[in-house]
Amino acid sequence: MSQVTRILSDIEHGNQLASEQLLPLIYQELRQLAAAQLAQEKPGHTLQATALVHEAYLRLVDVKQVQNWNSRGHFFIAAAEAMRRILIENARQKKSLKRGGHFHQVDLDNKQLFSSQQNLDLLDLNEALDELTARHPRQAEVVKLRYFAGLTIAETASALGIAESTADADWAYAKSWLYVRLQESNTVSP
């Protein structure tokens, strides 16, 4: 049993000090995961990787109801999901009318200011991912781990307990499905 798995088990059994031992062991991995997530965000995103890591960690460990972590992989699946939810909440807050609604912050120092490349709208992706989850849950988990957690095909397969070829096929299918779904939503919306 790895040290992380042992600490996760201790947390599950109510050891309050165990959560303090866990963060230093996994902080760099969570920070890399958060940085990868934020790199995919639109320019002008105000959430920093450190804040994302800390918020996700608090949601995972500092809860009233004890979580059951089966393994290190299970913890990182939950961390990726927590980060996704935090980014979605942040995107929704930014879109709300009381926070400027349809106005967008523009970074004038950004060299891509006049780029024709349009970044992915996280709310559209979340909606499409929810649909994919309802129809094809395993493929949706692959997307979450690959896109939001930045895991490789091998790491994704290991985390989900499936063969690498299955993870690769699921990833290819999910990317195609999401591409079509997002194209449909872009032609429908103004």
Side-chain angles (χ1 to χ4, degrees), residues 41-60:
E41 290 294 310
K42 291 182 178 183
H45 197 276
T46 56
L47 194 60
Q48 295 179 347
T50 302
L52 183 57
V53 167
H54 288 231
E55 179 67 25
Y57 185 78
L58 287 174
R59 288 186 184 194
L60 293 171

Side-chain angles (χ1 to χ4, degrees), residues 2-11 15-28 30 57 61 72 75:
S2 76
Q3 187 176 8
V4 171
T5 305
R6 182 188 51 75
I7 292 171
L8 290 170
S9 177
D10 289 348
I11 291 170
N15 182 348
Q16 296 296 329
L17 297 175
S19 63
E20 293 174 14
Q21 296 171 348
L22 179 63
L23 187 57
L25 292 175
I26 62 168
Y27 184 79
Q28 276 308 110
L30 288 176
Y57 185 78
V61 177
R72 176 188 181 98
F75 179 81

Side-chain angles (χ1 to χ4, degrees), residues 127-129 131-133 135-136 172-182:
E127 185 178 309
L129 194 53
E131 287 181 34
L132 181 62
T133 300
R135 295 176 186 205
H136 308 287
Y173 175 81
K175 285 190 303 184
S176 298
W177 191 94
L178 288 169
Y179 176 81
V180 169
R181 171 59 180 78
L182 290 170

